[in-house]
Amino acid sequence: NGTNMTTEESTTVITQAFGVDADLYKDVLGISDNRKDVTLARLRKAYYKRALVYHPDKVSKGATAKEKQDATRKFQAISMAYTILSNPETRRAYDEDGLVQDDNDNMDGGWKDFFKSMFGQVTTKDIDAFAQNYKCSEEEEKDVVKYYKKFKGDLNKMLECVMLSTDLDKQRWFKDYLEPAIEAGTIPDYRKTLEETMQSEEDEDTADTEPEDEDTAD
């Protein structure tokens, strides 16, 4: 059972999931802001974003046993990080020395009970509600613009980084976020790349094979 760990094993949860010296803010919860400016609401939002990816009930049905185990381990780690940073005392201690305390009073019930409670605390319904609120939000717009700049307008690469996105979002991103910003001069003009990557990769593959299919149809 992924949650049945001894206290000694629990101290390595974050290391196993995110590597040695992983930072709870940046590496585990994906928060790059100055830690002093991170509010409880920001922590919760970051936690939901990570849970959307790693919650065991959200892992693809076709995932291998190893992929499921990795997702479970990461979910345990983000749950642990969120619990530590959402508590003023444990957060202060972590901010001061950068160490994860393994004698945390919040874990009195044992690690097995703790992780069981975390699995129940964030339900798939909570995650779906978060996802619904993310679409067409200011946060999504910030993510789209961020990866637009990073990948110089390559929509296919942007799809890999903007969560909950599909090929259907490309036109919406362009009309709602990117075109107005390009016209306003607040972001670089990569319209040529946008046009080249607007079509889904799947459609491009189909288009490439169509002439051959016609020739071999008879």
Side-chain angles (χ1 to χ4, degrees):
N1 184 314
T3 60
N4 189 10
M5 294 177 286
T6 66
T7 304
E8 184 178 350
E9 288 171 331
S10 68
T11 61
T12 65
V13 169
I14 290 175
T15 296
Q16 288 178 345
F18 292 97
V20 179
D21 298 327
D23 182 86
L24 297 190
Y25 292 92
K26 185 178 179 181
D27 301 317
V28 182
L29 291 178
I31 300 173
S32 56
D33 313 5
N34 186 318
R35 60 179 59 190
K36 291 181 181 178
D37 300 328
V38 178
T39 62
L40 185 59
R42 179 75 179 89
L43 281 172
R44 189 180 300 113
K45 186 175 288 187
Y47 178 50
Y48 276 132
K49 281 178 95 168
R50 291 298 216 190
L52 186 67
V53 178
Y54 298 120
H55 194 290
D57 292 339
K58 285 293 181 183
V59 175
S60 167
K61 291 181 180 178
T64 64
K66 185 180 184 304
E67 288 170 337
K68 290 177 182 177
Q69 184 182 43
D70 288 345
T72 297
R73 186 176 289 126
K74 281 185 166 63
F75 181 75
Q76 291 169 348
I78 63 172
S79 299
M80 181 178 177
Y82 176 69
T83 298
I84 291 169
L85 298 180
S86 60
N87 179 304
E89 291 183 15
T90 51
R91 176 175 176 173
R92 193 179 305 115
Y94 176 76
D95 286 348
E96 286 176 1
D97 59 26
L99 300 176
V100 176
Q101 304 298 323
D102 55 356
D103 57 348
N104 187 348
D105 291 338
N106 289 329
M107 312 298 182
D108 282 345
W111 286 95
K112 184 176 180 181
D113 291 339
F114 166 67
F115 284 129
K116 274 186 177 177
S117 72
M118 292 310 294
F119 276 100
Q121 183 172 321
V122 179
T123 65
T124 53
K125 189 178 291 186
D126 293 329
I127 296 172
D128 290 339
F130 170 79
Q132 192 172 355
N133 290 331
Y134 176 78
K135 284 278 191 179
C136 302
S137 67
E138 286 184 16
E139 186 177 4
E140 184 196 42
E141 181 177 6
K142 286 179 183 176
D143 288 342
V144 169
V145 170
K146 172 185 173 182
Y147 292 113
Y148 168 81
K149 292 177 180 176
K150 180 175 180 178
F151 297 120
K152 297 182 173 16
D154 188 325
L155 287 162
N156 292 322
K157 288 182 179 177
M158 290 165 64
L159 284 178
E160 295 174 6
C161 296
V162 179
M163 67 178 184
L164 304 168
S165 57
T166 69
D167 280 310
L168 298 176
D169 292 307
K170 290 179 175 180
Q171 285 284 356
R172 178 174 63 83
W173 289 350
F174 178 69
K175 290 179 181 177
D176 294 352
Y177 306 146
L178 302 175
E179 188 174 40
I182 291 171
E183 295 294 342
T186 56
I187 61 175
D189 187 345
Y190 298 130
R191 272 181 284 207
K192 186 173 186 298
T193 306
L194 285 173
E195 289 172 8
E196 291 172 350
T197 58
M198 185 64 73
Q199 189 178 20
S200 75
E201 291 181 320
E202 221 172 81
D203 289 342
E204 288 173 3
D205 291 342
T206 303
D208 289 342
T209 58
E210 272 176 4
E212 186 180 337
D213 290 342
E214 288 174 6
D215 291 341
T216 58
D218 292 330

